[in-house]
Amino acid sequence: MVLRLLVLMGWLFGCMSAMAAGRPNILLIISDDQSWEHTSFAGYPAIQTPNFDRLAHQGVYFERAYVAAPTCGASRASILTGRHIWGLESAAMLWGYWPEAIPSYQDVLAKAGYHTGYTGKPWGPGYVRPGTRQGVDPTGVPYVDRLLPKAPGWRGVWDLAANFEAFLDARPAAAPFSFIVGAYEPHRPFPKGDVSRFTLLDARHFLPPNLPDTPQLRKDLAAYLQEVELYDADLGRIMDVLQRRGFLDNTLVVVTSDNGIDVARAKTTNYEYGVRVPLVMVWPDGLHSPGRRLEGVVSLVDLAPTFLQVAGVSSVPPMDGQSLLPLLQSSKAVTGRDAVFTAYERHAGFIREFNATYPRRAIHTPEYVLIRNYFPDRWAFGDPPRFIEAGTYFLRDAQDHALEPFYSLATTKKPYEELYVLADDPGQLHNRIDDPALTDVRNRLRARLDAELEKTADPVHTQRIDYFGQFEYLGPKHSATYPTPGATRR
């Protein structure tokens, strides 16, 4: 009888352990302002990212992953909600309010019994409206007490790995967890850049084709790459914690960025360098055929529904994204979607007269991008003469002469629509919207974009109004195009 009881207890304990093991952990790691090509795994010649590379070899690497918006607040809100930014009210823009009626995936997981939290940069910059959410941040419970000793002004101050340890220490026994690491690298301000990393390289192999080759730009790019490498070292320390604590096999690890590099025609734009980011997923217990590279397009709005499906949540709030779990677990040569969508409303405050927005929507396929500028009479990247978001600091020579065609491409007003052929024009320098040879492509992309905007009730498109102009900008005014090295990070 005692033996039978022991056997039964052992069976019950085994079932409980299996149930706990059957609820995978989720770890999302986000860099800040990193374009897709700036890892050594992607083939970029002037950088070494061994920790990202190792994960890419162990998991699934997505060749064409796109954020929902080329600005951090809106992008992170879309990641957390699984929605396009035009469904996020004030959170569609930097320094807005979190949409009160929309839960984050962290909210849903917390209700399902997950231990949730974050370290580093959360959603935002923005605010939770007073009196809502009972003071709970949509990113989770903050773990930000462990700081790096004597961090320089251009470095994120948080010890990301140590805060992850503190989060795990606080985890209730047997509870699955969902944690978000928001690194501040490679966001500006930058350290002093060492251009020696470019000495033996042809500029065509390391400079984006949408930028001129100048000494100042080389210094800036070198500093940015140094920050990417610092972030990669942090990534390695975080993964060491996961492995040492015994959670590696049953944790879905996702490594990505919130938008692209902060230079002209990148961040705050819907061109490739603004919205295309690195994305790798690793899950030893859950991936089929690790080491794959998926060539189709995917969107980071797909992350929230993926996480909820992985967690086995049955009641999922409305989302625009699609779970990527079938891609992760398929044994077939699936590639992803055939098209994804990005958008933009406003980033910096008061860079246009009356603090105007700049509503922009885009559709991306592996071959083309079509961008629609709903108010082409406005200045896309800030009013003249400063063009604050145009990155003109790097588009002039030592005598302060504009470097063409780069300067004009970054500052002049945009037409209602732009169409680019990515294989022929990786920098999106030549708008072919009126090319007769692309009439069928243009019409097909227009129809797909219209259908998505109408299906998801984008008020800018369906009502042809400046819907997001009603929302107050709650952040500081910008006084300079770029912070100087050593400036205090916001």
Side-chain angles (χ1 to χ4, degrees), residues 44 47 59 67 98 106 110 195 198 207 221 271 298 320 341 351 385 390 393 475 479:
Y44 191 76
I47 198 170
V67 295
W98 180 262
Q106 289 285 72
V195 299
F198 304 132
L207 278 179
L221 182 59
Y271 305 122
V298 296
D320 301 315
F341 307 90
I351 69 166
Y393 181 63
S479 59

Side-chain angles (χ1 to χ4, degrees), residues 271 369-371 373 414-420 431 433:
Y271 305 122
V369 56
L370 184 141
I371 301 170
N373 304 291
K414 306 303 172 190
Y416 178 68
E417 287 183 328
E418 305 169 64
L419 175 63
Y420 300 97
N431 182 12
I433 194 67

Side-chain angles (χ1 to χ4, degrees), residues 323-342:
S323 174
L324 299 175
L325 189 59
L327 289 181
L328 301 179
Q329 296 186 328
S330 176
S331 60
K332 300 178 181 179
V334 290
T335 59
R337 300 193 195 192
D338 60 349
V340 295
F341 307 90
T342 67

Side-chain angles (χ1 to χ4, degrees), residues 193-195 197-198 217-226:
D194 180 2
V195 299
R197 68 173 69 221
F198 304 132
L217 180 60
R218 286 189 174 220
K219 291 179 182 178
D220 197 72
L221 182 59
Y224 158 85
L225 296 173
Q226 179 181 331

